[in-house]
Amino acid sequence: EESRQKLRHLIRTPFLITAIIAIGLCGGAELVLSQWTSAFAEKGLGISKITGDLTGCCLFAAMLGAGRIWMGFSGERVDLNRMLIGSALLLAACYVIAALAPLPGLALAACALGGLGASILWPGMLVLCARQFPLAGGSMFAALSASGDLGGAFLPWAVGGLADAASGSRRFLDTLAARGVTLTPDQAGLRAAFFAAALCPLLVALLLRRLRRQAAKADACQLPPTGCGK
């Protein structure tokens, strides 16, 4: 117990600071799809609520569970950082497809597949930090979870605000109409908000690349005798 690393020391490390920011974005990117898919299907795609919930929300949850089950059985056998980057990029692509797809079924399928992309982001970030700081106590995981919860609370709210702003923007709607895009204000607003939400997993992918470099640098500093100098 006396060898435990205290949070007040860990919080000064660039790796943990980056991880805390990244897991906040992970939580937000997951909860946006979880909370908004039903409304997006109904108002953004014109699909009935029952169909949207059964084929969108339920399949999203199934994909989310499948990805986490896979991670539990196979996570030790893969390059986790690279897998997380791929998952974040998949999630970003799903947001873009959902926002831009001309066919409602394709957009809804992208929402469902987004569950697979989001599935390992949050738990994967916890595993990366556990590997980087094996002597950390529960306070580190509490800080990571608090950041994830904060992102999960703020970003879905921000998406709703952005959807309202876009649906009420005459300039935005006129621009779409001038380009031959025929959408109702609700459809235009929700699609615009989903397109903007793709920025979250893209930022996660960039932060994961940064974590990879920081972990490699930390490992080099532990190599005797002149790893840090090199």
Side-chain angles (χ1 to χ4, degrees), residues 25 28-29 32 40 91-100 155-156 158-166 172 187-204:
L25 293 169
V32 165
F40 178 73
L91 183 55
C94 288
Y95 271 113
V96 172
I97 293 171
L100 301 180
L155 288 171
V159 164
L162 181 58
D164 284 343
F172 174 66
Q187 290 174 337
L190 284 168
R191 284 177 177 264
F194 264 49
F195 186 80
L199 183 62
C200 291
L202 285 176
L203 288 174
V204 171

Side-chain angles (χ1 to χ4, degrees), residues 10 119 136 155 170:
L10 293 175
S119 61
L155 288 171
R170 178 52 54 189

Side-chain angles (χ1 to χ4, degrees), residues 16-97:
L16 186 58
I17 293 172
T18 304
I20 286 175
I21 297 171
I23 201 170
L25 293 169
C26 290
E30 175 186 330
L31 267 292
V32 165
L33 272 182
S34 174
Q35 296 180 7
W36 278 100
T37 292
S38 179
F40 178 73
E42 184 179 6
K43 295 186 177 181
L45 302 176
I47 297 174
S48 69
K49 181 171 178 57
I50 292 178
T51 302
D53 287 352
L54 290 178
T55 59
C57 296
C58 289
L59 285 177
F60 171 85
M63 292 287 186
L64 195 72
R68 289 179 177 171
I69 290 172
W70 172 86
M71 182 179 175
F73 284 106
S74 306
E76 292 292 334
R77 299 197 294 268
V78 299
D79 184 334
L80 182 58
N81 187 283
R82 184 172 296 177
M83 183 64 66
L84 288 172
I85 291 174
S87 296
L89 294 177
L90 172 62
L91 183 55
C94 288
Y95 271 113
V96 172
I97 293 171

Side-chain angles (χ1 to χ4, degrees), residues 14-20 22-23 81 84 125 128-129 132 204-217:
F15 188 98
L16 186 58
I17 293 172
T18 304
I20 286 175
I23 201 170
N81 187 283
L84 288 172
M125 289 300 306
L128 283 182
C129 290
Q132 188 68 19
V204 171
L206 293 175
L207 290 173
L208 283 165
R209 289 177 61 87
R210 182 177 179 86
L211 285 176
R212 192 180 189 91
R213 292 194 299 268
Q214 289 170 343
K217 183 177 180 180

